[in-house]
Amino acid sequence: NEKELQDVVKQQEEKMFQLIDKSGEVARLKAEVSQLKRSLQHAETEARVLWEEMRGKEHQVDTAYVQERVILQREVDKLRLLLLEKKDENLQLTDKY
């Protein structure tokens, strides 16, 4: 009986370590997905700003102005993302406590 219990405990420990490994992998993948979403958002922002600047303009567009607009739009997007993250953190803390 003692040997069987030791085997069962050992199996449970192995399963627990597998779950820990999987949860770490899930967290890493979630972080990677989040980073990819941010990169996509930045690319979409840049494309949107460039499209707005180019639409209806046939003459030379001031590239410094366009770059400034892209940078400013990225900053706005970053601030929006930070705001959403803080709101999520606050909700999680509220739910936790």
Side-chain angles (χ1 to χ4, degrees), residues 1-8:
N1 279 345
E2 187 176 329
K3 176 69 174 162
E4 288 177 18
L5 286 174
Q6 288 176 348
D7 288 342
V8 168

Side-chain angles (χ1 to χ4, degrees), residues 4 13 19 56 82 86:
E4 288 177 18
E13 286 176 349
L19 287 174
L82 286 172
K86 290 300 177 187

Side-chain angles (χ1 to χ4, degrees), residues 6 9 12-13 18 20-21 29-30 32 34 37 39 41 45 50-51 60 62 65-66 76-77 79-80 82 90 92-93:
Q6 288 176 348
V9 168
Q12 291 299 321
E13 286 176 349
Q18 288 175 351
I20 290 170
D21 288 343
L29 289 173
K30 283 183 179 181
E32 188 175 338
S34 178
K37 284 181 180 179
S39 295
Q41 186 178 24
T45 298
L50 289 172
W51 177 254
Q60 182 80 15
D62 182 11
Y65 173 74
V66 173
V76 168
D77 288 343
L79 291 172
R80 282 186 186 139
L82 286 172
N90 286 342
Q92 289 174 356
L93 288 173

Side-chain angles (χ1 to χ4, degrees), residues 2 35 56 87:
E2 187 176 329
Q35 179 61 37
K87 284 182 179 180

Side-chain angles (χ1 to χ4, degrees), residues 19-90:
L19 287 174
I20 290 170
D21 288 343
K22 287 180 182 177
S23 68
E25 180 71 12
V26 167
R28 187 187 66 75
L29 289 173
K30 283 183 179 181
E32 188 175 338
V33 166
S34 178
Q35 179 61 37
L36 289 171
K37 284 181 180 179
R38 278 187 234 128
S39 295
L40 176 61
Q41 186 178 24
H42 290 313
E44 288 173 342
T45 298
E46 188 172 340
R48 183 175 62 244
V49 170
L50 289 172
W51 177 254
E52 288 173 5
E53 293 301 317
M54 297 303 291
R55 188 176 37 196
K57 293 187 177 182
E58 295 181 12
H59 62 286
Q60 182 80 15
V61 177
D62 182 11
T63 56
Y65 173 74
V66 173
Q67 287 175 343
E68 182 182 355
R69 289 276 316 258
V70 168
I71 290 169
L72 290 173
Q73 192 62 44
R74 282 184 180 172
E75 290 299 316
V76 168
D77 288 343
K78 283 180 189 177
L79 291 172
R80 282 186 186 139
L81 183 62
L82 286 172
L83 178 64
L84 290 175
E85 288 173 356
K86 290 300 177 187
K87 284 182 179 180
D88 287 344
E89 286 178 19
N90 286 342

